[in-house]
Amino acid sequence: MTQISPVPPISLAHLTVIDLPPPQMIRLAARLGYDRVGLRLIRVTDTSPGYPLHEDPAALLETQAALTETGLTVNDIEFIRLTPDFRPEAFTAFLAAGAALGACHVICAPYDEDHARLAANLAAFQTLARPYGLTCVLEFFPWTSVPNLATARAVVERTGMEEIGILVDTLHFDRSGSSLADLECLPPSRLPFLHLCDAAVHPPYSTEDLLHAGRAERLPPGEGQIDLAAILGRLPQGLPVALEVPMTALQAERGSAEVAARVLDAARRLLRSVGRM
């Protein structure tokens, strides 16, 4: 008898449809067939929005209503920058909003050259987040002091906290030169979910190239040259997948609904082709 692999839940990451406020984004995700959403509550750049529900009770209530109406859940909230002057207590309202939304994870980004301090701040934030039912995941970026998977693992292990995860984004994994061997030997408990996308592969990359792909233009899974099958083959069956695929040109031409639909269709095709659905 053929064993059926667990079907991974698929989440719509907010960057894919960043022009949509959370209630509209949630309803679109539900219409298209997503299982979860990731919500960007804190602005990342001056040119892209964040939706600070922790500062707007009415917007938080409207977002909760959209979740109840659709039955979708919140996979993650973002985006916490771990800087040298980071103070966890400044984000208590953010964590409370995450708890009110039923979120599972908080995405954290490494912006500190001092890895001892970075690990200490990450541990302190996890301690603060735990009572809210949230776990921290550290995402690595090739343009930061934590540019690859191996460095991210070293920082996370330095915290001494087993619950802190690592967020692997397939774009950053490819651009950083992280190895499949590093991925294969990572404890499954460190991998709460995956950011899945594709892109053209044309090293070397300037910082401008890295930022443009990361924030503005990626490709739907299976439509670029990243070896996604090899990456997925090293990951646990059923690992939740979040589709973070900004496509600003298509978004400007056809709208966010077109982007979200195309990305989901492509991800399902890819996951079926590698035996993940």
Side-chain angles (χ1 to χ4, degrees):
M1 180 181 294
T2 301
Q3 185 175 5
I4 299 174
S5 300
V7 176
I10 299 178
S11 177
L12 176 60
H14 214 153
L15 183 59
T16 307
V17 290
I18 196 61
D19 61 315
L20 299 182
Q24 290 93 312
M25 181 248 203
I26 291 164
R27 293 186 176 99
L28 171 63
R31 287 199 304 272
L32 294 175
Y34 285 87
D35 306 296
R36 303 175 178 179
V37 294
L39 299 178
R40 179 163 290 186
L41 307 190
I42 296 176
R43 179 192 294 268
V44 173
T45 71
D46 292 337
T47 57
S48 64
Y51 299 92
L53 302 180
H54 47 295
E55 299 173 359
D56 190 338
L60 177 60
L61 286 172
E62 187 180 356
T63 302
Q64 289 174 305
L67 291 168
T68 300
E69 170 193 320
T70 61
L72 265 62
T73 57
V74 177
N75 184 72
D76 57 87
I77 55 174
E78 58 177 10
F79 185 90
I80 296 294
R81 288 176 178 266
L82 298 172
T83 58
D85 60 352
F86 178 72
R87 296 292 178 268
E89 61 275 7
F91 298 95
T92 301
F94 167 86
L95 294 172
L101 294 165
C104 299
H105 308 290
V106 180
I107 299 176
C108 301
Y111 285 89
D112 191 346
E113 300 286 337
D114 184 334
H115 287 183
R117 181 174 56 205
L118 175 63
N121 281 331
L122 180 58
F125 193 51
Q126 176 58 55
T127 298
L128 186 64
R130 190 184 296 118
Y132 293 95
L134 291 156
T135 57
C136 296
V137 290
L138 183 68
E139 186 170 10
F140 60 89
F141 303 92
W143 58 87
T144 70
S145 71
V146 182
N148 53 41
L149 177 56
T151 310
R153 181 175 181 177
V155 170
V156 166
E157 290 183 346
R158 194 167 187 168
T159 68
M161 291 185 163
E162 293 298 325
E163 67 264 46
I164 296 177
I166 298 171
L167 177 52
V168 173
D169 181 302
T170 53
L171 176 73
H172 305 320
F173 182 88
D174 176 77
R175 295 290 194 263
S176 68
S178 294
S179 75
L180 293 171
D182 285 339
L183 186 60
E184 196 164 21
C185 70
L186 194 65
S189 61
R190 292 292 191 195
L191 287 168
F193 64 100
L194 173 76
H195 268 172
L196 182 63
C197 68
D198 212 336
V201 174
H202 54 83
Y205 307 98
S206 66
T207 300
E208 183 180 356
D209 292 335
L210 295 171
L211 291 171
H212 181 69
R215 296 172 176 175
E217 290 294 343
R218 307 189 192 187
L219 291 173
E223 296 187 17
Q225 287 84 49
I226 297 175
D227 193 351
L228 297 177
I231 295 171
L232 289 166
R234 269 74 176 180
L235 298 173
Q237 288 283 357
L239 182 71
V241 168
L243 304 182
E244 186 170 77
V245 193
M247 301 176 70
T248 53
L250 180 62
Q251 186 181 56
E253 179 184 352
R254 303 289 296 273
S256 284
E258 177 75 16
V259 174
R262 178 175 164 184
V263 166
L264 181 60
D265 287 345
R268 285 173 168 165
R269 285 194 301 272
L270 173 69
L271 292 170
R272 281 194 294 267
S273 74
V274 298
R276 294 276 164 156
M277 289 192 77

